[in-house]
Amino acid sequence: MTFSGLLVQLLNGLADASSLFLVAAGLSLIFGVTRIVNFAHGSFYMLGVYLSYTLVSHMGGTVPGFWLAVIVSAAVVALVGALIEVTILRRIYHAPELFQLLATFSLALIIQDATLFIWGPEDLFGPRAPGLDGSIEILGRQFPEYNLLLIAIGPVVLGLLWLLLTRTRWGTLIRAATQDREMVSALGVNQAWLFTSVFALGCFLAGLGGALQEPRLPANLALDMEAIGTAFVIVVVGGMGSIPGAFLAALLISELKALCIAIGTLQLFGIDFSFSKLTLVVEFLVMAIILVIRPWGLLGKPQAPSRNSHAAEAPLRGAQPKMKWAAGVLVLALVAVPFLRDSFPYAEIILVEIFIAVLFAASLHFIMGPGGMHSFGHAAYFGLGAYGAAILVTAWHLPMELALIFGPLLAVLGALLFGWFSVRLSGVYLAMLTLAFAQIVWSIVYQWDDVTGGSNGIFGVWPADWLSSSSAFYYLVLGITLVGILVLRRILFAPFGMALRAGRDSDLRADAIGIDVKRIQWAAFVVAGLFGGIAGAVFAFSKGGISPEAIGVGRSIDGLVMVLLGGVQTLVGPIVGASIFTWLHDSIARETEYWKAVLGMVILFLVLLFPAGVVGSLTHFWHWIVARKKEGLNPVSIKAKEAS
């Protein structure tokens, strides 16, 4: 590594930091005012790249034309964002934050397939910026002129945002809404249009960040997921709602990545260490370290403890006789499925996938619902269990039965380690720390070729001979899933489960009566990790192997969608949500190339129709009917009267 090479890489890092800052600043503004964790923010960045490619190709032949195309691209993205906020997001501001996340996730699916329909699946390379398509010499090395301009854009935008937020009335309202939205509304400010304007500004910044990247990288359909992950990291590292913090975090992460590239492979104690591979995970390592040391971020403010950190709910109650009979009938129907193979040949295959998804979702719900701990990285335990079982079978040559028992213990070890750090945080910070740990696991699996097979994964993980028939394996998975659900349910009705709910509803009060809240939550992480690992081990045997793609961030998102779709406040919710999501995913994907958009629209429809989840909303409606009947009133006429 030469000094000139290091300097050029650090300058490249500064150019990357400017684009990352624009995206993260928009996300931070939107979250600070609306409190929406906007998962679709990366989609607006991607739209900015695609729109800039189209407009620059048509009108960017001159310097004014290029910059006009960039600004118009960002403005169109802002307009799209404003329309989405007015027509969709405005309807769910009063829904729980996690359901808002689910709605924005569905929007991301819709936007991605809309982009696929308009521009196609190929990578699109746009023209270079006129007047800035050359390079300058720095210590004997060439450095693009356009990157120098990007380095300057970041501080300029930071200064403009500072002036906007501190020197204008609108900026004052934004800062006030960040601190206390209810008070701003009480003072007569039109909160709805304030939210719309802030959302449009955030989308404009994301679109601008994407449009500025058009001369540097091709437009492709993976940009949205790449951008949103890094943007979340920057916002959390810098401090939620802090624009200067986002700028500082973008600089820190971009420069560390550039430094890893500059170092390359370094030999320490006779062992070669490839620092360039750390670029896949360095931002998550930074986030994990920052959150452990300073949970509120570099320039964020610590959150004051709350007496009631979670909405009060009715105590858990055992299933009514009718529910038990219904569950028994369902189990008998599932047992009879193999006998109907001739009529439904695909039923066993799809039901095995549903069973695995149900167990995975139930394990996640264990810490999200009763525990009140939001996890964005539950795929870590799924992956550790899957790889643990696969390694025991292929490398240690253990039989399947022992691999199913001991493989998930690797997930338990991961949950012991990650949970110890995670339970010391709460809210979005806890969720992002779990995401960081999951990405670290994914990075290790992806790059440890000698043990995990690297990007190729591990194959040849087949069931034992006595499970060679599809029906035998079907019954095994059904049995494991039923036992897992019953054990999790029994734990929740035990004193441990009651203590877990007490810590969720009010950690201060629970601590006052002698409950060690953190220890209980840590134990809950271990239990959830165990059953998540079991689901992963079964998955490996069902597919004949495991690869890094199966345990990426998408797996964690799928788990979140399953739990939220069914309902967080109900024990049946994750079962129903996982079944619906897996069936929809399989059915729609086999019918159309644009299955993501269809799936996104279905999920969005369900979120708008059932804001508490399918099971949660139906349960609330049923209780409403029962209450009205007890009063001797007609529920239909009351509903009509209330609507009028």
Side-chain angles (χ1 to χ4, degrees), residues 382-412:
F382 184 91
L384 288 172
Y387 271 95
I391 291 171
L392 290 177
V393 169
T394 57
W396 291 26
H397 305 292
L398 291 183
M400 172 194 175
E401 296 83 356
L402 293 179
L404 273 178
I405 295 174
F406 294 106
L409 294 182
L410 185 60
V412 172

Side-chain angles (χ1 to χ4, degrees), residues 337-371:
V337 166
F339 298 99
L340 305 174
R341 187 186 302 116
D342 294 337
S343 301
F344 306 99
Y346 189 64
E348 289 182 4
I349 298 174
I350 184 60
L351 282 174
V352 165
E353 293 189 9
I354 290 176
F355 295 156
I356 295 171
V358 164
L359 184 57
F360 178 63
S363 67
L364 175 58
H365 174 266
F366 185 81
I367 55 176
M368 282 187 61

Side-chain angles (χ1 to χ4, degrees), residues 10 26 91 133-134 165 196 217 233 283 294 424 428 540 581:
L10 293 178
R91 302 172 184 273
D133 52 357
L165 296 175
T196 302
L217 52 80
V233 170
E283 64 262 40
R294 189 178 171 86
R424 281 152 177 76
V428 176
F581 179 81

